[in-house]
Amino acid sequence: MGRNNQQRRAAKRRERLRSGSSDTATGGYRFASDAYGGGSWATSQIGEEELLRHQANQTLKEQIALAGRVERSAFLAQLIQSWLASQSVRQQRILDEQMSLRFMALLASLWEHGWQPADLVHAARRLDGRSTAMMAALITGQAHRTQAFERAPKPWLSQLRAAERDAAAAQLMAGSIPTVFLAAAAQVQAGSALVDAWTTVLRLASLLQQLPTLPRLVDPPSAWGKSRERRPAPSDSDRARVLTKIRGLLAKAEATAYAAEAEALTAKAQHLMTRHAIDEALLHAHDDEPVDVISFRVHISAPYPGEKVSLLNQVALANRCRLIWLEQFAIATLVGTPVDVDQVELLFTSLLVQATRAMVEAGASRPGSFDRSASFRRSFLVSYAVRIGERLTESADRAASSYGTELVPVMQRQAEAVDQVFERLFPNTYQVGSGHQYSQRGWQAGREAADRASLVVGRLAAS
């Protein structure tokens, strides 16, 4: 081989290593390719820094796979400690740089595959608190460097703000760093041990690499314009006023220590919700525009996520929404009109607070520990959900009947629009049931608590 050919091939190697291969570069973030074949790795030909980056990515690939296989955190930390001991300070810095670029590429890819910032923070929360803070910091760092805070639509922006607050609370201020965010170094600076920092980094990377594709509910960053269109918030609209009033009623219901007062406040909130949704539907009954249908994800926290989502499902059904449950990540997706989805989320949040309080009180009302067991609490929550669903449906039916036959075609048109969007987003769904055995005492206590939440109907007040 002639000298010129050798020089040309060496130049190509350097270029490929600098830019990365197409399958490892996403969203403008590039790191040295994991799979680069052929030729010798002579430092004189490709440069020592490029060689170290390539070796770092090969090592990271192995360590991320290891983190996905080792379940015990303590054992994984021992392995990571041994691995780090074999790396020089310079190698550790390059590892951190390449790992951080991997995170940026993973985030850009996940946005394209249906995930949103709040979804990823919720998924990381199922690992541990350090992973949650790290996820929030990575999201914040990427958002600052891609001007997402200036370009994001309102639903996405609110999630970015929440992630920014979480990162700041953990002292991981990624947004203030002008260069790429160093995931491990930032944790060490915030007070974590180096081994703990890398344990968090590798476990989180393993999780992100395994996430499935979700239905795309909103446009990802790649579809946004250069700047976000800014419009004044419709704070004086009827919808905003009613939602503000509902939020106030439910907040009071959650705060009061008196059951009767909580029941009255929740009943009034449900009354406003039902009438407002019907009035909104009638207002647009003769529009030529199609029915506006949105999709919204609700993240269910432990413990007992399956039982909690049963309450959400009952509230959704009573308020004309459809729901699908991603059990693996404890994420529920609501599909309905904007008014119905907003109100379902509000009522579910409040009822869950009230149900939890009633469950604790019921469990503590008798001596012994049986009524504080997992079986009792699961039974309570499911029974509460079933009875609340019955009562909400009864209230909605009475409210609808007071409007007469005019309402029937309007609500039918709305239901068909919701079904159409739901089936487009989730074409392959199936019904699931719970595998849990429920205690009779918990079931009875839950039903009694739901019965106490009496619901009333009446015309939507103008005030």
Side-chain angles (χ1 to χ4, degrees), residues 267-398:
K268 189 172 183 180
Q270 173 59 34
H271 149 59
L272 284 174
M273 286 171 54
T274 303
R275 292 295 177 173
H276 176 51
I278 292 175
D279 288 348
E280 183 89 358
L282 289 173
L283 181 64
H284 301 286
H286 303 294
D287 290 351
D288 294 332
E289 296 294 323
V291 176
D292 187 15
V293 178
I294 65 171
S295 304
F296 180 80
R297 292 195 181 115
V298 181
H299 306 114
I300 309 297
S301 60
Y304 320 124
E307 285 70 27
K308 290 176 181 177
V309 81
S310 68
L311 175 60
L312 176 61
N313 188 49
Q314 293 293 341
V315 177
L317 289 173
N319 288 278
R320 301 159 299 281
C321 291
R322 295 191 65 177
L323 177 145
I324 193 163
W325 175 231
L326 181 59
E327 184 177 10
Q328 182 184 2
F329 297 103
I331 296 176
T333 303
L334 288 170
V335 180
T337 66
V339 169
D340 289 339
V341 168
D342 284 348
Q343 296 180 162
V344 166
E345 185 197 8
L346 286 173
L347 184 56
F348 166 69
T349 301
S350 179
L351 285 173
L352 186 57
V353 170
Q354 296 180 56
T356 302
R357 182 172 59 202
M359 176 183 68
V360 172
E361 291 173 355
S365 63
R366 296 182 179 90
S369 62
F370 177 78
D371 290 347
R372 292 186 291 275
S373 66
S375 176
F376 175 87
R377 294 186 170 192
R378 285 195 177 99
S379 304
F380 184 101
L381 289 172
V382 173
S383 177
Y384 185 94
V386 170
R387 184 55 183 152
I388 281 291
E390 292 172 355
R391 305 207 70 194
L392 289 175
T393 301
E394 292 167 3
S395 176
D397 289 345
R398 286 196 301 270

Side-chain angles (χ1 to χ4, degrees), residues 403-417:
Y403 282 82
T405 57
E406 177 189 8
L407 186 62
V408 176
V410 175
M411 302 312 289
Q412 180 64 30
R413 177 171 175 256
Q414 180 176 299
E416 290 173 354

Side-chain angles (χ1 to χ4, degrees), residues 103 137 153 200 220 264 304 336 425 443 463:
F103 274 129
T200 297
Y304 320 124
L425 290 172
W443 188 275
S463 59

Side-chain angles (χ1 to χ4, degrees), residues 9 52 67 87 108 139 160 179 211 261 264 276 281 323 329 350 353 363 425 436 443:
R9 293 197 177 193
L52 288 175
Q87 306 294 318
I139 290 169
L160 292 180
T179 57
L211 292 179
E261 183 181 6
H276 176 51
L323 177 145
F329 297 103
S350 179
V353 170
L425 290 172
H436 293 295
W443 188 275

